[in-house]
């Protein structure tokens, strides 16, 4: 087993089935409550949009990713989490990439289940348009979840206990919602744009998708560079 | 012939430590919380020092996977490895090192054959230390073995001493940190003393004795410290009136002698002792304080 597999195993062990089930249950419960409230307040179509924009993508995704990265990092630095893997000579940098990839996949999977669920509940029926919206929201949430994990993993390489991820969480909440160029650096703005919200700096949907990929891969690459081999 | 060099290393309790070792066994006598565990961790590349430079054969073990591959380590706090079984964890390490032996062979060589099929989570902390030491000793060609309390890790001390001697003869640097004077003297002829994060000299140097702190909780720290001052086994007594008003930190040359001295001082001064804690160990109450503070029962209950 190599360093990448070691990082994968480390993350998989930390994000156990129990953690994943709990994370899904809490996220789904929150999303369903928001969906029901929105449905009671507005039409079915808008209820789904508001549930996604104000509930799932704005709150569930960042907090789920933050929680997942914190869990994997043992509430410390992400590179400390792979010390055991690197101890006998495996590359710490590669192990870190494995750790982030596994965490990203797990968070993306949970996000991809919660978002469609919230759409279906908000719509109140399971027909073709709802199913199409559910699938679309699923991949957007999965992409957003992955981008958030990479962002917070990079943050957790700063500070003695990885406090940088809390700084980035706060920055995403505050700066990601601003109608300015700085918002393009955070997933929040692009996720809002992809589900029909205001475009960030006039970027088209496919460009926002590209930005989310860039944020995810860029943060992963920067994080790998920051970790000592 | 391998080398280990530490240059002005600061990490945790370690305070700008300089050390240069060549092939052979170097024993370090370190009282708890004086930097012994950090010394092992930074030397093995487990931790990056806050400041300073660590070089094994001229390269930083924290930054170089190739160097870490040539290092065997036993840390102060060993945890069970992450793998389906202990055998699988050992096999992974062997594969990383390029060692063609099987996990079973390595475990058998350390007398740990029964560990192979066990779940890592079933290992006790002592068993995890035994496993880590067995893995370190089984290294086919180590440049450095950085070991914390190697003779108290659960393996046969004779086997450990033989293996360390063999590795040292073949050119490895063996850094063994211990808080036991007896173990240190068994490990090497020359014993360096690490105290409060700094090397203060060799154990054999005249007049140099390590001070081992014991924390005493008492009803009357003033009377007890006055009585302890007359005890030859006690080298110093610290009473922090501001922080822990009822606590004394007692330093001495030998922990058993210090404990007896505390009992004698308690008897002569009449100070009731609530607790005795070895600095660095998990705090444990020796005897809970009683409201009456019965002086006659106090010493009898502590009969050694």
């Amino acid at each position: 087993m190599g360093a990448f597999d070691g990082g994968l195993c480390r993350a998989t062990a930390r994000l156990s089935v129990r953690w994943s089930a709990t994370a899904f249950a809490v996220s789904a419960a929150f999303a369903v409550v928001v969906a029901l409230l929105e449905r009671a307040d507005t039409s079915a179509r808008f209820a789904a949009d508001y549930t996604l924009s104000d509930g799932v993508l704005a709150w569930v995704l960042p907090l789920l990713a933050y929680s997942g990265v914190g869990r994997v990092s043992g509430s410390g630095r992400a590179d400390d989490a792979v010390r055991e893997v690197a101890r006998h000579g495996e590359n710490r940098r590669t192990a870190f990439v494995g750790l982030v990839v596994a965490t990203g996949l797990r968070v993306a999977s949970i996000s991809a289940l919660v978002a469609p669920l919230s759409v279906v509940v908000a719509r109140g029926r399971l027909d073709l348009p709802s199913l199409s919206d559910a699938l679309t929201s699923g991949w957007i949430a999965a992409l957003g979840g992955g981008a958030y994990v990479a962002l917070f993993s990079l943050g957790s390489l700063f500070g003695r206990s990885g406090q940088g991820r809390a700084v980035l969480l706060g920055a995403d909440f505050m700066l990601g919602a601003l109608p300015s160029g700085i918002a393009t650096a955070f997933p929040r703005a692009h996720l809002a744009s992809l589900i029909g919200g205001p475009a960030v700096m006039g970027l088209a949907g496919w460009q926002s998708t590209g930005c989310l990929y860039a944020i995810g891969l860029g943060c992963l690459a920067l994080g790998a560079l920051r970790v000592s081999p | 012939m391998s080398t280990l060099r530490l240059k002005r290393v600061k990490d945790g309790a370690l305070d700008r430590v300089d050390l240069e070792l060549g092939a052979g066994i170097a024993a370090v006598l370190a009282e708890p919380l004086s930097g012994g565990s950090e010394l092992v961790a930074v030397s093995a590349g487990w931790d990056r020092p806050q400041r300073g430079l660590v070089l094994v054969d001229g390269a930083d073990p924290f930054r170089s996977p190739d160097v870490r591959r040539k290092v065997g380590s036993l840390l102060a706090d060993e945890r069970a490895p992450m793998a389906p079984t202990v055998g699988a964890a050992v096999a992974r390490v062997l594969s990383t090192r390029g060692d063609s032996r099987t996990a079973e062979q390595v475990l058998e060589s350390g007398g740990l054959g029964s560990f192979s099929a066990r779940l890592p989570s079933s290992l006790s902390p002592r068993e995890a230390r035994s496993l880590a030491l067995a893995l370190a000793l089984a290294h086919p060609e180590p440049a450095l073995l950085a070991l914390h309390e190697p003779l108290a890790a659960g393996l046969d001390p004779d086997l450990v001493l033989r293996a360390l001697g063999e590795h040292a003869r073949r050119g490895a640097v063996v850094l063994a940190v211990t808080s036991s004077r007896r173990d240190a003297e068994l490990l090497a002829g020359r014993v360096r003393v690490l105290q409060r994060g700094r090397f203060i000299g060799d154990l054999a140097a005249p007049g140099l004795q390590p001070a081992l702190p014991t924390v005493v909780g008492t009803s009357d720290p003033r009377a007890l410290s006055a009585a302890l001052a007359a005890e030859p086994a006690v080298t110093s007594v610290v009473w922090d009136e501001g922080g822990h008003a009822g606590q004394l930190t007692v330093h001495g040359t030998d922990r058993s002698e210090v404990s007896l001295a505390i009992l004698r001082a308690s008897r002569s001064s009449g100070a009731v002792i609530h607790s005795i804690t070895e600095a660095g160990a998990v705090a444990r109450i020796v005897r809970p304080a009683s409201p009456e503070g019965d002086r006659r029962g106090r010493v009898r209950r502590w009969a050694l």
Side-chain angles (χ1 to χ4, degrees):
Chain A
M1 186 163 69
F4 185 81
D5 293 340
L8 280 179
C9 289
R10 170 84 198 174
T12 310
R14 295 291 296 169
L15 301 179
S16 58
V17 173
R18 191 174 171 183
W19 181 88
S20 304
T22 308
F24 173 74
V26 171
S27 306
F30 178 79
V32 166
V33 168
V34 173
L36 292 176
L37 289 174
E38 292 290 356
R39 206 172 121 195
D41 201 42
T42 183
S43 71
R45 176 156 180 245
F46 290 122
D49 288 350
Y50 291 147
T51 301
L52 280 175
S53 63
D54 299 344
V56 175
L57 302 183
W59 289 96
V60 172
L61 251 61
L63 294 180
L64 179 64
Y66 184 82
S67 161
V69 173
R71 169 90 181 164
V72 164
S73 307
S75 301
R77 288 172 59 103
D79 49 354
D80 284 349
V82 292
R83 278 201 294 198
E84 185 62 45
V85 179
R87 176 176 181 177
H88 298 284
E90 296 287 12
N91 191 307
R92 195 182 282 108
R93 192 171 275 167
T94 313
F96 169 80
V97 173
L99 188 88
V100 178
V101 166
T103 310
L105 287 174
R106 185 63 61 92
V107 168
S109 309
I110 296 172
S111 308
L113 293 174
V114 172
L117 176 71
S118 69
V119 169
V120 171
V121 173
R123 285 280 173 90
R125 59 181 186 276
L126 190 59
D127 52 13
L128 264 182
S130 297
L131 205 59
S132 164
D133 280 359
L135 288 175
T136 306
S137 69
W139 78 255
I140 292 172
L143 180 58
Y148 271 122
V149 165
L151 181 74
F152 296 146
S153 297
L154 172 64
S156 74
L157 297 173
F158 293 87
R160 249 190 116 62
S161 306
Q163 299 95 327
R165 67 175 174 272
V167 173
L168 286 180
L169 177 70
D172 178 69
F173 268 102
M174 289 187 288
L175 305 178
L178 291 178
S180 71
I182 198 162
T184 53
F186 297 97
R188 176 174 302 267
H190 301 291
L191 288 170
S193 166
L194 283 175
I195 57 154
V200 197
M201 301 292 290
L203 294 177
W206 67 270
Q207 288 170 318
S208 276
T209 304
C211 283
L212 281 175
Y213 277 113
I215 290 170
L217 295 174
C219 288
L220 180 61
L222 286 174
L225 286 176
R226 181 161 169 77
V227 173
S228 294
Chain B
M1 293 293 176
S2 301
T3 56
L4 167 67
R5 188 169 173 219
L6 277 75
K7 195 174 173 189
R8 296 188 70 72
V9 167
K10 185 170 167 50
D11 188 61
L14 279 185
D15 187 12
R16 287 165 288 166
V17 161
D18 288 308
L19 181 67
E20 202 156 347
L21 299 174
I25 302 178
V28 173
L29 181 60
E31 61 193 60
L33 299 182
S34 65
S37 54
E38 289 93 339
L39 180 64
V40 168
V42 297
S43 300
W46 173 262
D47 262 343
R48 184 209 323 250
Q50 289 164 350
R51 280 186 202 162
L53 195 64
V54 178
L55 298 173
V56 176
D57 287 348
D60 182 349
F62 187 83
R63 293 177 174 275
S64 168
D66 290 338
V67 173
R68 287 199 300 276
R69 216 165 284 143
K70 294 190 291 182
V71 173
S73 58
L74 171 64
L75 305 169
D77 181 23
E78 284 291 348
R79 295 182 186 176
M82 278 200 159
T85 63
V86 172
V90 173
R92 198 183 81 190
V93 174
L94 295 176
S95 149
T96 306
R97 286 177 181 167
D99 190 333
S100 57
R101 286 175 295 172
T102 65
E104 285 70 24
Q105 285 173 321
V106 168
L107 287 169
E108 284 295 343
S109 70
L112 306 176
S114 61
F115 281 21
S116 185
R118 284 178 61 182
L119 292 174
S121 57
S122 74
L123 296 180
S124 67
R126 186 176 169 80
E127 288 173 331
R129 283 181 60 75
S130 302
L131 176 64
L133 180 57
L135 274 172
L137 296 180
H139 200 302
E141 213 173 336
L144 167 69
L145 293 178
L147 311 169
H148 189 268
E149 300 286 3
L151 299 186
L155 296 190
D156 176 9
D158 289 336
L159 182 146
V160 175
L161 287 170
R162 270 201 309 275
L164 294 181
E166 183 59 31
H167 282 304
R169 270 192 296 280
R170 284 159 54 186
V173 179
V174 179
L175 171 66
V177 176
T178 175
S179 61
S180 159
R181 184 176 179 159
R182 184 178 162 275
D183 286 358
E185 287 170 343
L186 278 173
L187 283 159
R190 182 186 173 193
V191 178
R192 293 168 173 82
V193 179
L194 183 67
Q195 198 173 89
R196 293 176 193 170
R198 290 192 169 195
F199 284 107
I200 57 169
D202 289 358
L203 189 61
L208 181 65
Q209 298 291 339
L212 305 166
T214 302
V215 180
V216 183
T218 175
S219 63
D220 191 348
R222 186 184 300 277
L224 187 62
S225 60
L228 282 169
E231 288 288 343
V234 174
T235 54
S236 70
V237 181
V238 179
W239 178 22
D240 178 9
E241 291 179 70
H244 305 282
Q247 257 184 24
L248 296 177
T249 304
V250 185
H251 294 261
T253 51
D254 182 280
R255 208 162 245 155
S256 309
E257 288 297 323
V258 167
S259 300
L260 289 170
I262 292 167
L263 291 180
R264 279 194 298 272
S266 163
R267 196 200 313 239
S268 65
S269 67
V272 177
I273 294 175
H274 307 311
S275 62
I276 298 181
T277 312
E278 293 178 356
V282 176
R284 56 176 184 270
I285 302 297
V286 171
R287 174 179 175 275
S290 68
E292 298 81 23
D294 58 328
R295 295 183 178 186
R296 280 183 300 175
R298 182 182 58 235
V299 173
R300 194 164 62 238
R301 285 183 206 178
W302 283 3
L304 299 172

